[in-house]
Amino acid sequence: VDKLVKLALKQPLRVKVDPRNTIPSKLKQEFIKVKEQREYDREAILVALCKKTIHSKAIIFCSYKSQAHRLKIIFGLVGLNAAELH
């Protein structure tokens, strides 16, 4: 890899991830698992949670671009500010 770097790049930078897996003290993380029987309600559950519990900003991860786009539209329809990033 080092040989390829020297051959292909000019002034490369090496980036490393903190091995201690530190999390910023002000970051609040939540994971919500939707039961298989409620999969069809996933978007409605997400909107309800965001309207009731999110008071500032949140990042929601989606598996597909189409899901992110759909959520942005749905959030806009219910009056929540949203942006999508692919």
Side-chain angles (χ1 to χ4, degrees):
V1 173
D2 286 331
K3 289 179 184 179
L4 287 173
V5 168
K6 289 177 184 176
L7 180 67
L9 301 175
K10 295 178 183 176
Q11 298 180 338
L13 294 175
R14 189 173 298 268
V15 178
K16 295 182 181 182
V17 177
D18 185 359
R20 295 174 290 170
N21 296 326
T22 58
I23 298 171
S25 61
K26 293 182 181 181
L27 179 65
K28 181 179 178 183
Q29 298 184 75
E30 293 186 34
F31 176 81
I32 299 165
K33 175 77 172 145
V34 178
K35 293 181 182 180
E36 285 185 30
Q37 302 88 346
R38 301 296 305 265
E39 284 288 324
Y40 61 90
D41 280 341
R42 178 185 300 250
E43 292 166 343
I45 293 168
L46 181 59
V47 168
L49 284 169
C50 288
K51 286 191 80 119
K52 291 179 183 179
T53 62
I54 305 300
H55 302 292
S56 58
K57 297 178 183 178
I59 299 174
I60 299 168
F61 292 93
C62 300
S63 299
Y64 302 100
K65 290 180 184 181
S66 59
Q67 289 173 334
H69 183 68
R70 182 176 167 86
L71 281 177
K72 180 192 177 294
I73 293 169
I74 291 170
F75 275 46
L77 290 172
V78 298
L80 294 171
N81 290 331
E84 59 186 293
L85 178 64
H86 302 262

